[in-house]
Amino acid sequence: MLNSAMHSRWGRIGMAIVGAGIYALGINLFVVPAGLITGGMMGFCQLLRSALLGLLGIKSLSFDLTGIIYYVLNVPLFFIAYRYLGHMFFRNTIICTTAYTVFMSIVPIPSEPIVGDVLTGCLLGGVISGVGTGIALTSGCCGGGLDIVGLFMSKKGVKITVGQFGMAFNFVLFALCWMMYDIPTMIYSVLNNIFHGIALDRAHRQSVTVQVLIFTKLDSPDLNRYIMDNLHRGITRWEGKGVYTGEDTHILCVCMNKYEIEDLRNALLKIDPKAFFIVQEGVHVSRNFERRLS
């Protein structure tokens, strides 16, 4: 059932929403009650929430403002995603970010930590939230935040990877955590982020790389544009000739992950129903190839 859902566009979006819910459970049930922060833009929003409530003299609310702040900060990033990263990526990002915001706002935060030991809370919160994020990424959806910024910088030729940008951002974030709280809170927050990253890598199954050879007689720029603008994949093109018909054939070679094949299939049916493609699984690709966050 899970495998079939991953090969359906709306099935993947549904799984991404489930992943967002699992992420919110890990954060709101274990991380927030312990007074810790997560990494990335969500952690930055947690710091903003604490600062805002402190300025207003409010000790607590019946819901968490972090999700709403996160969505507001993502609004300008949505325009970047729409203009530079493709319309499908923009749609998936809107849906997934909205799911993160809703679940972060509606999942109740216990007044007291569920587990008394802070380290255990770090572990449980990091693992649960990491699994949720991993499911969302495996489903081909992006939760906004640093992922959009990192991909945009990468596409513009900035010599920094998405991971390197995230590490630099978290370094500054946890330095702010140290100044706003104390050293133990900063250390436990870093540990939580480490547990989150380990669980995310375990849950993220989307690095299954395939090579696709597309054979089409239609010399249309629409297919090239779709692959580059919506799937964000590079293309190598060869010119061939059918032995039986003697007709010219265009051969497009694309490397992607297997969960993008269904989107490619649907696009081919619309652009050139007579085209066909061959998929070779388990290929090894190194160097200039995006392992895909979405």
Side-chain angles (χ1 to χ4, degrees):
M1 180 179 178
L2 177 61
N3 189 57
S4 61
M6 287 301 185
H7 285 83
S8 166
R9 178 184 303 177
W10 292 107
R12 293 198 303 271
I13 291 177
M15 289 303 302
I17 294 174
V18 171
I22 295 174
Y23 172 86
L25 288 174
I27 298 299
N28 283 5
L29 295 183
F30 297 98
V31 177
V32 176
L36 308 178
I37 68 167
T38 61
M41 183 172 283
M42 190 68 76
F44 179 68
C45 293
Q46 288 176 314
L47 287 180
L48 285 181
R49 174 209 59 201
S50 298
L52 180 63
L53 294 181
L55 289 174
L56 296 177
I58 302 175
K59 292 185 178 181
S60 63
L61 294 173
S62 58
F63 63 95
D64 194 1
L65 279 175
T66 301
I68 298 175
I69 297 173
Y70 182 75
Y71 200 89
V72 171
L73 293 183
N74 268 286
V75 170
L77 300 181
F78 291 154
F79 290 99
I80 294 177
Y82 182 82
R83 182 169 182 180
Y84 297 102
L85 301 178
H87 295 176
M88 184 175 296
F89 180 86
F90 166 75
R91 182 205 65 189
N92 291 348
T93 300
I94 285 282
I95 294 174
C96 198
T97 305
T98 301
Y100 273 93
T101 298
V102 170
F103 285 120
M104 287 292 293
S105 300
I106 65 175
V107 172
I109 300 174
S111 57
E112 297 292 334
I114 296 178
V115 292
D117 183 61
V118 180
L119 183 58
T120 304
C122 276
L123 175 61
L124 292 174
V127 169
I128 295 173
S129 63
V131 168
T133 303
I135 292 174
L137 290 178
T138 300
S139 304
C141 292
C142 168
L146 301 186
D147 294 340
I148 297 178
V149 178
L151 281 176
F152 172 72
M153 293 172 63
S154 177
K155 192 164 187 177
K156 286 298 181 179
V158 179
K159 294 183 179 180
I160 184 173
T161 66
V162 178
Q164 290 170 342
F165 175 71
M167 289 176 61
F169 184 91
N170 283 333
F171 179 82
V172 177
L173 177 68
F174 290 123
L176 290 174
C177 176
W178 175 31
M179 290 186 289
M180 290 182 62
Y181 299 103
D182 50 38
I183 292 180
T185 300
M186 185 268 292
I187 293 175
Y188 282 123
S189 296
V190 170
L191 288 175
N192 170 261
N193 194 51
I194 293 173
F195 294 141
H196 173 90
I198 294 173
L200 188 157
D201 287 340
R202 292 292 184 181
H204 188 201
R205 305 182 299 120
Q206 200 165 349
S207 58
V208 181
T209 306
V210 298
Q211 181 188 61
V212 180
L213 294 178
I214 305 169
F215 298 82
T216 175
K217 294 182 174 63
L218 184 64
D219 189 14
S220 171
D222 293 340
L223 180 58
N224 300 338
R225 190 178 305 114
Y226 175 84
I227 295 173
M228 292 186 292
D229 292 349
N230 292 279
L231 299 182
H232 312 293
R233 297 299 190 186
I235 309 169
T236 298
R237 172 169 163 166
W238 301 312
E239 300 302 329
K241 185 178 290 289
V243 174
Y244 180 75
T245 63
E247 296 180 354
D248 292 334
T249 301
H250 309 290
I251 306 170
L252 307 180
C253 179
V254 186
C255 288
M256 59 179 64
N257 66 65
K258 68 179 183 180
Y259 302 113
E260 295 168 324
I261 295 176
E262 190 64 29
D263 292 330
L264 177 62
R265 188 195 309 275
N266 293 332
L268 276 175
L269 287 174
K270 296 177 182 179
I271 298 172
D272 184 8
K274 295 182 179 180
F276 71 95
F277 62 88
I278 300 173
V279 178
Q280 181 180 355
E281 296 190 9
V283 297
H284 176 73
V285 184
S286 59
R287 295 181 65 82
N288 190 23
F289 176 73
E290 182 185 320
R291 292 293 173 186
R292 191 50 94 224
L293 79 93
S294 75

